[in-house]
Amino acid sequence: MILGALFFYLFSAVAIASAVVVVGARNPVHSVLFLILAFFNAAGLFVILGAEFLAMILVVVYVGAVAVLFLFVVMMLDVDFVELRQGFLNYLPAGALVGVVLLAELLIVLGGWAFAPAVGSTAAVVPIPSLAIASNTAALGDILYTRYVFFFQAAGLVLLVAMVGAIVLTLRHRPSVKRQSIAAQVARSAATGVEIRKVESGRGL
C-alpha cells in the first residue's frame, strides 16, 4: 500500500512538472519531449489504477504516433515561433478566463472530496454482469461497442472530418510545380499534341 502511494505521488509529480514545462518551454522540440514524458507518467498512473489497456493505448497511440509525428513536423517545418508569439498579449484575457474556470472546477472537486468523501460512492452505477468476469480490455470493448457504440462512431467521424479539414487547410499548390491533369491528357488530340516546327538547315532546336 505504501509502495503504491509512493509511485502514485512520484508519477503525479513528474507528470505535473512535465506539463508545466510543456507550456513554458521556449524550444518547441523540448516541449514535445516533455509532453512524451508526461504521457509516460500518465500511463504509469493508469497501470497503478489497474487499467493496463489504457496505459498501453496511451503509450502506443499518443507517444508512438501523435507526439512523435508532432516532433517530426516541428523539426522539419521552418516555423517562426517568435512571430507566432507576438500576439500573445491579445489572447491573454481569454486564456486567463479559461484558467480561472479550470481552477474553480478543480477547487470544487477537491473541496467535495475533502468535505464529503462519500459523495462519489452514492452515485448511481448500473451493474453490468459481463464485466464481473471479463478482463480490463474485454470490459472496455464490451462497453464501447455495446452501450456507447454511437458515441464511439461519432467520435471517429469527428476525427475523420478534422483530418480532412487539416489536409485541406495545409494543402498548397505551387505554381512552379508541374502537376498531372488526367482530363487534359484524355482530351488531347493530334492537333493539340503535335507541333510542327520548321528548322533552318544547320541549326538545331
Side-chain angles (χ1 to χ4, degrees):
M1 188 65 182
I2 299 178
L3 188 61
L6 179 63
F7 277 109
F8 171 78
Y9 287 115
L10 177 62
F11 288 141
S12 301
V14 177
I16 294 174
S18 301
V20 172
V21 176
V22 168
V23 179
R26 294 182 177 273
N27 193 337
V29 178
H30 295 167
S31 297
V32 178
L33 293 178
F34 278 101
L35 180 63
I36 295 174
L37 181 60
F39 284 154
F40 272 111
N41 286 275
L45 292 175
F46 279 130
V47 171
I48 293 176
L49 293 174
E52 67 280 352
F53 180 75
L54 293 179
M56 181 187 66
I57 290 298
L58 185 64
V59 172
V60 172
V61 175
Y62 284 92
V63 176
V66 178
V68 175
L69 178 62
F70 182 60
L71 178 62
F72 278 107
V73 169
V74 169
M75 294 176 63
M76 290 170 55
L77 296 179
D78 188 12
V79 181
D80 190 1
F81 290 94
V82 177
E83 182 181 356
L84 293 177
R85 293 179 179 177
Q86 289 180 356
F88 173 74
L89 296 178
N90 298 330
Y91 301 101
L92 186 59
L97 178 61
V98 173
V100 169
V101 172
L102 291 177
L103 181 61
E105 292 178 352
L106 290 175
L107 290 178
I108 291 173
V109 173
L110 292 176
W113 174 74
F115 295 104
V119 173
S121 60
T122 60
V125 179
V126 180
I128 302 177
S130 61
L131 299 185
I133 57 176
S135 62
N136 182 262
T137 306
L140 185 61
D142 192 6
I143 292 177
L144 282 179
Y145 292 105
T146 55
R147 180 178 298 180
Y148 300 106
V149 61
F150 297 107
F151 298 100
F152 185 74
Q153 296 295 332
L157 182 62
V158 170
L159 291 176
L160 177 62
V161 173
M163 182 180 64
V164 174
I167 294 174
V168 172
L169 291 176
T170 56
L171 184 61
R172 299 178 181 179
H173 294 283
R174 298 180 180 178
S176 60
V177 177
K178 293 183 178 180
R179 297 184 179 275
Q180 184 180 16
S181 178
I182 304 298
Q185 292 179 353
V186 173
R188 291 183 68 182
S189 61
T192 58
V194 179
E195 180 182 0
I196 301 177
R197 302 184 61 178
K198 295 182 179 180
V199 182
E200 298 182 5
S201 179
R203 295 186 178 181
L205 294 176

